[in-house]
Amino acid sequence: MIGIDTAYCSDKYQYTMGKSFFENDMHHKIAVFNLFFRSAPDKNNWAVVCGVREVLQMIQGLGSHDEAFFEEFLPGEEFTEYRKFLSAMKFTGNVYAMKEGEIAFPQEPIITIEAPLIEAQVLETPMLCIMNHQMAVATKASRVTRSTEKPVSEFGSRRAHGPWAAIYGGKAAFIGGCVNSSNILTANMFGFQSSGTMAHSYTTSFGSTLQGEYKAFDSYIKTHKGEGLILLIDTFDTLKAGLPNAIRAFKANGIDDNYTPSYGIRLDSGDLAYLSVKCREKLDEAGLKQCKIFATNSLDEYIIPELERQGAAIDAYGVGDAIATSKHNPCFGNVYKLVQIDETPVLKRSEDKVKLINPGFQITYRIIRNGSFLADVTCLRGDKCEQTILSKETLTIRAQFDETKVSKYDKGSYEYKALQQMVMKNGEVIVEDSSIFEKRDYYKANLLGLNPTQRRLINPHYYKVDVSDDLYDLKMRILNEIVREIEETEKTNY
């Protein structure tokens, strides 16, 4: 990770709770925590998994500081033994996770941590920090790139919430379907080509005159010949100055439809639909039919389809803050909850029903037929439903909130895949990281597993997501016991 040990990018209460666990001899208990989200952004019902690579790197950073580091926020003699414990504490547990590029639905465990209690507890804040950021950006990139069949580049570093967000946001955007990112560190770290054109300051550095604009274009072409050439043409007047100067500069330098790398113009202001059509007409008249029109300027998944509905002649888009900050929904909702301690399943009950969690050590299976995703079902590991799926016997799924909704999949009529795989065992990473291209391809393949109604941006058809009967029954038993205890307490108090 860049410039900071993210394992300790934590909240203090993770460590104050840890002291109580330590002094009550609970730190040896094996905890199971799930990271999951309750609802997806933009009234969708799924999200793109991203950030697992950085989570594993973060976990490996535990145990990298001496006692003096912990004394800064846990001072005093009463913390002496606990500080010694923390300075020697490395992660020794297991991690189960979905792959980056996976499509995940609410309540499904994206990452499961199985480890001694304090080791698992202190991961909460840094893990959520990583996953909430990258999943917000990857999911937003998915929405933007699904809004068009044209290529989309991520150009949002200057709007990102700091350098770390810019770098890993570019990674998440790429996995979520963008063809590239403008961020050079992202491209260097993950092995793809960054993209870039020119700024208005490049043009005005040659003076605020039309002749200066022509000189800027001519100079840029001469210094970048053999590369992709995109000229920004709206510095003074798109149709009356920028476009004629671009056409003249291209022709003066022998750039035409025989030019092997791509060449084009960029529109960054004004009525993009109208201007793109007029530019296309003038470029075609000049014999520059292969000249691409690239558009930027506060684009998102709502503006892009509207431009295309209006007949815009745009070949590619650059999207900045809408992706880099997940502008409409900047805070992704992953949470991290304890679901089992030693062999005892636990849950959090809330007045708000959406905050009720599923207890126990879980695994999610995706039911598939002929490449199409039919349903997801989360089971308790080893329960009857999991055994049925593994043997491909007849599977019946009942909606946990509406028992009249039943889906049946006959024996041998479906395939399945487990969405969570063990990625770290006894503190050691046991899987090789795939390339960013493989992760993006995996996301795109998963996308095709959903039908068009489930992929649409507005009012998508909801995909079937459920839990096994054993998991549902376990949850209800725990809830009923809590309710019984509350009622007994009320009787006693009165």
Side-chain angles (χ1 to χ4, degrees):
M1 307 296 261
I2 292 181
I4 189 170
D5 186 350
T6 54
Y8 296 99
C9 180
S10 193
D11 293 309
K12 185 175 179 179
Y13 85 135
Q14 310 292 356
Y15 287 88
T16 56
M17 286 187 290
K19 182 174 187 286
S20 296
F21 294 149
F22 180 72
E23 293 190 354
N24 284 284
D25 200 30
M26 294 175 63
H27 54 294
H28 298 300
K29 289 179 174 288
I30 300 301
V32 177
F33 281 83
N34 281 348
L35 182 145
F36 61 94
F37 63 93
R38 296 186 175 105
S39 62
D42 295 287
K43 297 181 180 179
N44 207 339
N45 72 325
W46 55 267
V48 180
V49 175
C50 195
V52 175
R53 171 187 182 271
E54 285 69 40
V55 164
L56 294 179
Q57 291 175 336
M58 175 273 292
I59 291 173
Q60 291 177 304
L62 280 179
S64 59
H65 287 287
D66 60 17
E67 292 179 47
F69 169 80
F70 297 98
E71 193 166 8
E72 293 295 322
F73 62 96
L74 298 171
E77 291 185 7
E78 66 271 25
F79 287 98
T80 300
E81 292 304 313
Y82 182 46
R83 288 195 299 265
K84 289 179 181 178
F85 170 80
L86 292 176
S87 66
M89 186 184 78
K90 291 187 176 293
F91 186 79
T92 60
N94 303 323
V95 180
Y96 305 80
M98 293 186 183
K99 292 182 180 179
E100 293 193 283
E102 191 65 80
I103 287 173
F105 292 86
Q107 303 294 334
E108 297 177 346
I110 295 167
I111 298 178
T112 295
I113 303 294
E114 179 191 21
L117 181 54
I118 297 180
E119 294 177 26
Q121 180 68 70
V122 300
L123 297 178
E124 177 174 4
T125 299
M127 187 181 302
L128 287 173
C129 179
I130 292 167
M131 296 299 293
N132 279 332
H133 169 245
Q134 291 198 34
M135 287 186 65
V137 176
T139 303
K140 188 64 170 183
S142 169
R143 289 182 58 81
V144 174
T145 56
R146 281 185 285 128
S147 74
T148 178
E149 294 183 356
K150 308 290 178 61
V152 176
S153 298
E154 183 273 317
F155 279 6
S157 289
R158 67 188 62 195
R159 306 293 188 203
H161 299 150
W164 195 96
I167 293 164
Y168 293 100
K171 170 219 168 181
F174 191 91
I175 290 174
C178 289
V179 295
N180 49 42
S181 169
S182 63
N183 193 288
I184 58 173
L185 274 179
T186 302
N188 288 351
M189 286 172 61
F190 294 101
F192 62 87
Q193 290 295 315
S194 56
S195 64
T197 59
M198 61 170 63
H200 294 107
S201 60
Y202 179 80
T203 299
T204 56
S205 70
F206 289 82
S208 292
T209 65
L210 301 195
Q211 185 57 28
E213 183 179 53
Y214 173 78
K215 288 181 179 179
F217 292 166
D218 181 68
S219 172
Y220 190 86
I221 292 170
K222 284 181 167 60
T223 53
H224 292 280
K225 205 164 186 178
E227 306 171 23
L229 298 170
I230 303 290
L231 304 179
L232 177 60
I233 67 170
D234 71 336
T235 303
F236 304 121
D237 188 292
T238 298
L239 297 178
K240 295 178 181 178
L243 183 61
N245 274 331
I247 291 172
R248 186 156 66 100
F250 281 139
K251 290 192 169 184
N253 287 279
I255 305 299
D256 57 23
D257 288 353
N258 294 315
Y259 185 66
T260 302
S262 63
Y263 74 107
I265 58 170
R266 175 161 73 99
L267 304 174
D268 189 50
S269 62
D271 186 334
L272 297 179
Y274 171 78
L275 291 173
S276 66
V277 170
K278 291 300 181 182
C279 286
R280 184 75 274 156
E281 291 174 358
K282 296 296 184 182
L283 289 167
D284 289 353
E285 288 173 7
L288 304 179
K289 295 183 178 182
Q290 296 303 313
C291 183
K292 304 298 183 184
I293 299 176
F294 192 76
T296 52
N297 189 27
S298 300
L299 301 177
D300 60 28
E301 72 267 40
Y302 303 105
I303 295 173
I304 289 173
E306 182 60 21
L307 288 171
E308 296 184 352
R309 188 190 66 80
Q310 295 174 33
I314 297 169
D315 297 294
Y317 301 95
V319 179
D321 54 357
I323 291 177
T325 67
S326 185
K327 192 172 183 178
H328 298 108
N329 288 275
C331 183
F332 196 86
N334 278 319
V335 294
Y336 184 74
K337 299 298 179 183
L338 181 67
V339 296
Q340 184 167 296
I341 188 73
D342 282 341
E343 299 298 321
T344 303
V346 296
L347 58 73
K348 171 186 178 293
R349 179 177 182 261
S350 174
E351 299 295 332
D352 189 348
K353 289 184 179 179
V354 75
K355 291 190 173 184
L356 177 63
I357 69 171
N358 293 321
F361 195 2
Q362 303 156 34
I363 185 169
T364 306
Y365 288 95
R366 182 155 291 161
I367 308 304
I368 305 168
R369 181 183 295 145
N370 299 325
S372 295
F373 300 163
L374 304 179
D376 285 9
V377 57
T378 299
C379 311
L380 293 168
R381 289 175 179 260
D383 75 6
K384 294 175 184 176
C385 182
E386 181 180 33
Q387 294 172 32
T388 296
I389 292 169
L390 294 177
S391 60
K392 296 184 184 179
E393 295 291 333
T394 297
L395 175 66
T396 301
I397 301 175
R398 294 179 178 84
Q400 60 174 314
F401 301 116
D402 186 351
E403 292 187 1
T404 65
K405 293 182 178 180
V406 178
S407 297
K408 183 178 179 182
Y409 307 100
D410 292 331
K411 177 178 179 179
S413 70
Y414 62 88
E415 301 294 326
Y416 66 86
K417 70 172 179 178
L419 299 190
Q420 302 86 10
Q421 303 291 335
M422 181 181 279
V423 294
M424 181 176 276
K425 183 176 182 180
N426 299 329
E428 299 293 332
V429 175
I430 60 171
V431 293
E432 288 190 14
D433 189 35
S434 56
S435 75
I436 198 166
F437 298 96
E438 291 171 316
K439 291 173 182 179
R440 186 177 63 181
D441 288 346
Y442 185 67
Y443 152 72
K444 289 182 176 179
N446 282 316
L447 192 60
L448 293 177
L450 299 176
N451 68 49
T453 69
Q454 295 159 343
R455 297 197 297 265
R456 67 191 179 206
L457 299 178
I458 307 297
N459 295 325
H461 182 74
Y462 271 56
Y463 176 83
K464 185 177 291 296
V465 179
D466 218 327
V467 299
S468 69
D469 288 347
D470 286 345
L471 176 50
Y472 177 78
D473 291 344
L474 171 65
K475 179 164 63 173
M476 295 312 298
R477 282 199 302 273
I478 297 173
L479 284 174
N480 289 337
E481 179 60 23
I482 293 171
V483 171
R484 186 194 65 77
E485 289 189 35
I486 291 172
E487 291 174 348
E488 289 296 322
T489 300
E490 287 179 336
K491 290 178 182 178
T492 302
N493 290 339
Y494 287 103

